[in-house]
Amino acid sequence: ISKKEGGRVQVTDFGLARLAGSADERGLKGTALTSIPKRIEKSGDDRGRLLDAQITQHGLVMGTPQYMSPEQHLGKDPDARSDQFSFCAALYWALYGKRPFDPVQLAAAAVKLDEVDDKTRPDRSGNPAARAAIGKGVIAEPPKEVKVPGDVKKAILRGLSVDPGQRFPSMEELLKRLAPKEASTQRLWVLAAAGLAAVGIPTSYALLKPRPCQGSEDRLGGVWDPARKEAVQKQFSATGSVNASEAFRLTAASLDEYSRGWVAQRTDACLATQVRRDQTEKIQELRTVCLERRLKELNALAELLATADKDTVEKAYTSDLSAQLSSLKGCADVELLTSQVSVPQDPAVQAKIEVIRGKIAEARARWAAGKYKPALELADAASAAAREVAYNPLLAEALYIQARLQDQLGKPADAAKTLLQAIRAGEAGRQDEARAESMVQLVSTFATLHKNDQALEWADLAQGLLDRLSGLDEIQTDLYINVGRLQFFIGSWAEAIKADQRALALMDKSNPNSYKRGKVLDSMGGVFLNSGD
C-alpha cells in the first residue's frame, strides 16, 4: 500500500510481468521471464508503449497452471483476454474457496479448440458450435452453498470462457458487470476482490465468505454416493448369489471407509495451506492431484460393481475389494510427492497421461473383482502407452500392476521380468512408492520360483528403501508377510514366525481391521503345524 498512490491497494505482479525496453535491448533474448519486481517509472505514451511490449518468447509456456488461460497452455502470446481469464480464476478461488478448473483438462480442451480453428478466417473463430461444445464442462459449476450475487457469478463464468472470443470485449467491461448498483454492496465486493479480510470488512461479507476447505464430500457425488450404493446393492441382489447381501455389506463398509479417508485427506490438504499455513500451495496441489487419481480408481471400481456378475459378488464376499485401490497415505507423504520427476509441460502429453491413468484405474478395478485376464489386457495397454509418452513414474505404476496380474494368472517368470522393469522405471522417475511395491512383490515372486537367495537379497534391498520412506505401513506389512512366506519355504520356522508377528504388530498400529490379518494367522498356523508345535 503506497502513500504516494493515495493508500490504494494495487496488484503489482499479475499475469506475466513486462519490463521497460525490449528483450533484445536488455540482452534477454531467449530468456524466460516469469516475474520482474522492478517498477516502471514512466509516464504518458512511453509507459503505454512499454506495457504493450511483448518480452515473452512466442510459443513459450509460462505461468501458474491454476490461473493460466487456455491460450497460454498452447504457448500463444497472452493478451488482455488472457489477463481477464486469470483475473476471474483468482476471483473464483477467492469467493468460492475452490479452483474453477483442472489445469490438465483445460490444457486438453485448449488443444482441441486449436484444432477446430478455421485458419483461413482473420478472427480464427472457427466453428462457434464446435468451440462451445469443447469448452462445456471444463469450468466447474460454482458450489450452490456459497451465496454470490447472480450477476457476479455470471460475469465470472463468462470471463472464464475457454474460448477467448466468448469473454468480455475488455477488462473494463468485466469490471462493470462485477460492480452491483447498490453502493454498500458495491463496496462489499470491491473489498472482497481486493482481499481486505482483516481491514474492516462488513459483517455481511463475513457471512458471504465461504468456510475454508469445505465441500470435499461433494467430489464423491456420482462416484460413491447413495445413488451409486443403491445401484450396486440392486445389482448384487440381481445376481442371485446367496451371499449377495453380506457381500454388499462388507463391500459398502470397505468403500465407505476409503471414502471417509479420502475426504479427510483432501480437507487436510486444504487446511494445511489455507488455514494452518504449514504447507505451500505447491504441496497442496500435489496432494490434491494425487487424491484425484485415487478418486478415479474408486470410481472405476464402483462402476464395475454396479454391473457385477455372480463371480464378482463371490469375490466381494471372500476378500476386501478396496485392498487393490492405491493407498491414500501416499498422498500425504510430502517426500514421495516432491521427489517424483515432474509431469511434462506439453498439454498434449498431459492429456495422454490422464488417459493412461484411466486404463490403470480400470485395470485395478478388474483385478479387485477377480477379472484377471481383462485386467491384464488393460495393464498391457497402459504399459505400452506409458513407454510411448516416456514418463517413467507412470510407467513404473503400470508395470507394477501388469506384473501383479501376471502373477495372478500363473506366470511368475514373466512377472519377475516385469517387476525388474518397474523397479528400473521407478528409479529413473523417482517414483519411490511404485518402486517399493515392486521390490516387495519381487520377494514373493522369486519365492514362488524357488529362487530363495535372490528373494532374500531383494527383501534386504526393499527393507532399506522402506527404512528411508517412513509411513508406507501397508507396503511394510506386505514385506513382512512375504518374508514370512519365504522363510516358511526355506524351513526357518523361527524367522517365519518373527516376520508374521511383525506384520500383526504393524497392523495393530496402522490398520486393525485389515483382511490380511487372517492371511497372516493362517500362515502362522502352517508354521506351527510343520514345526510340530
Side-chain angles (χ1 to χ4, degrees):
I1 301 177
S2 168
K3 289 184 179 179
K4 186 176 179 180
E5 300 294 343
R8 292 177 58 201
V9 174
Q10 298 189 347
V11 179
T12 58
D13 184 9
F14 183 80
L16 302 182
R18 294 184 172 89
L19 183 65
S22 69
D24 289 345
E25 290 170 353
R26 294 185 172 269
L28 297 172
K29 187 174 183 180
T31 302
L33 302 177
T34 54
S35 180
I36 310 296
K38 182 177 179 180
R39 184 174 177 177
I40 300 174
E41 295 292 352
K42 294 283 183 178
S43 62
D45 293 341
D46 286 341
R47 182 171 182 176
R49 285 196 295 272
L50 291 170
L51 290 175
D52 286 339
Q54 292 286 346
I55 66 166
T56 305
Q57 283 183 283
H58 179 73
L60 180 65
V61 179
M62 296 176 62
T64 305
Q66 291 92 341
Y67 305 103
M68 283 169 60
S69 63
E71 54 270 26
Q72 280 178 271
H73 281 282
L74 296 176
K76 296 181 179 179
D77 292 332
D79 56 22
R81 294 176 302 178
S82 306
D83 282 345
Q84 186 183 138
F85 183 95
S86 298
F87 176 84
C88 287
L91 187 55
Y92 187 111
W93 168 245
L95 295 177
Y96 294 110
K98 62 181 292 186
R99 303 292 185 191
F101 56 83
D102 176 82
V104 174
Q105 290 182 356
L106 184 72
V111 172
K112 292 179 182 178
L113 201 64
D114 198 48
E115 290 173 352
V116 302
D117 275 342
D118 181 359
K119 303 296 192 298
T120 63
R121 294 182 57 173
D123 63 356
R124 288 173 53 83
S125 61
N127 185 327
R131 295 168 69 86
I134 290 171
K136 189 175 182 181
V138 176
I139 305 301
E141 187 66 24
K144 295 179 181 179
E145 64 270 17
V146 181
K147 304 303 180 184
V148 172
D151 290 343
V152 172
K153 171 183 170 182
K154 191 179 296 183
I156 292 173
L157 291 178
R158 180 174 172 183
L160 286 170
S161 296
V162 176
D163 181 0
Q166 298 301 314
R167 298 173 203 154
F168 290 97
S170 66
M171 181 67 85
E172 288 74 15
E173 182 64 26
L174 166 63
L175 295 177
K176 286 180 184 178
R177 301 294 182 91
L178 288 173
K181 297 179 181 178
E182 297 83 354
S184 60
T185 309
Q186 181 179 18
R187 175 166 175 74
L188 169 67
W189 287 100
V190 170
L191 287 173
L196 295 178
V199 191
I201 294 182
T203 303
S204 53
Y205 173 65
L207 294 175
L208 284 172
K209 184 180 179 182
R211 289 185 297 166
C213 305
Q214 299 297 307
S216 291
E217 297 89 346
D218 297 341
R219 296 289 295 121
L220 294 174
V223 176
W224 187 246
D225 56 10
R228 176 60 66 80
K229 288 183 189 180
E230 184 180 357
V232 171
Q233 186 174 23
K234 286 182 178 179
Q235 184 61 30
F236 273 37
S237 179
T239 64
S241 169
V242 294
N243 296 315
S245 178
E246 183 64 6
F248 172 76
R249 186 189 70 79
L250 292 168
T251 300
S254 177
L255 296 188
D256 283 347
E257 183 176 358
Y258 191 89
S259 298
R260 285 193 296 270
W262 187 91
V263 170
Q265 279 249 23
R266 195 174 190 276
T267 303
D268 182 73
C270 176
L271 291 172
T273 296
Q274 307 302 327
V275 178
R276 299 198 303 268
R277 308 292 183 185
D278 57 9
Q279 173 184 279
T280 65
E281 279 205 2
K282 179 61 177 177
I283 298 301
Q284 181 188 355
E285 178 190 347
L286 289 172
R287 291 180 66 182
T288 302
V289 168
C290 178
L291 288 167
E292 287 300 311
R293 292 169 185 164
R294 303 300 192 259
L295 189 65
K296 184 176 287 189
E297 291 182 17
L298 176 60
N299 183 56
L301 178 57
E303 278 187 345
L304 183 65
L305 294 178
T307 61
D309 57 19
K310 197 169 185 177
D311 289 340
T312 301
V313 172
E314 291 305 311
K315 179 72 173 177
Y317 178 66
T318 58
S319 62
D320 179 6
L321 300 189
S322 72
Q324 308 310 342
L325 298 174
S326 296
S327 170
L328 294 170
K329 291 182 179 179
C331 295
D333 193 315
V334 175
E335 182 182 352
L336 283 177
L337 295 173
T338 55
S339 64
Q340 269 189 48
V341 171
S342 300
V343 176
Q345 292 300 304
D346 185 340
V349 175
Q350 290 181 346
K352 288 180 181 178
I353 287 173
E354 287 308 304
V355 171
I356 297 169
R357 291 199 184 282
K359 290 184 183 297
I360 293 175
E362 290 179 28
R364 279 186 176 275
R366 281 158 180 74
W367 175 20
K371 308 295 183 183
Y372 301 130
K373 286 186 178 179
L376 181 56
E377 291 174 3
L378 284 165
D380 288 345
S383 297
R387 289 186 194 280
E388 288 183 10
V389 299
Y391 182 50
N392 279 308
L394 183 66
L395 178 59
E397 295 175 37
L399 288 170
Y400 169 71
I401 300 299
Q402 185 181 20
R404 291 299 304 269
L405 290 163
Q406 287 170 335
D407 250 335
Q408 290 282 1
L409 290 168
K411 302 176 181 179
D414 290 343
K417 293 177 183 178
T418 305
L419 286 168
L420 289 170
Q421 294 173 14
I423 292 167
R424 179 179 178 178
E427 176 66 28
R430 297 198 296 275
Q431 216 300 19
D432 286 335
E433 186 172 9
R435 187 157 66 103
E437 287 179 319
S438 297
M439 291 170 75
V440 168
Q441 182 58 31
L442 196 56
V443 176
S444 175
T445 302
F446 274 145
T448 300
L449 293 168
H450 305 293
K451 296 182 177 182
N452 298 335
D453 290 342
Q454 288 174 269
L456 286 170
E457 289 173 359
W458 278 103
D460 283 341
L461 290 170
Q463 189 58 65
L465 178 59
L466 290 170
D467 286 343
R468 177 171 66 81
L469 303 173
S470 60
L472 297 181
D473 291 346
E474 292 177 34
I475 300 177
Q476 179 67 75
T477 300
D478 286 340
L479 179 58
Y480 288 146
I481 292 172
N482 290 348
V483 168
R485 177 170 173 258
L486 173 62
Q487 296 293 359
F488 176 84
F489 289 160
I490 294 173
S492 299
W493 312 125
E495 291 300 317
I497 289 295
K498 186 186 297 183
D500 287 339
Q501 287 174 336
R502 286 175 175 170
L504 288 176
L506 190 53
M507 279 187 275
D508 287 339
K509 170 189 169 186
S510 60
N511 189 7
N513 297 321
S514 174
Y515 81 101
K516 294 176 184 178
R517 179 178 296 277
K519 184 177 181 180
V520 175
L521 291 170
D522 182 67
S523 174
M524 293 177 74
V527 173
F528 289 134
L529 181 65
N530 280 275
S531 64
D533 187 344

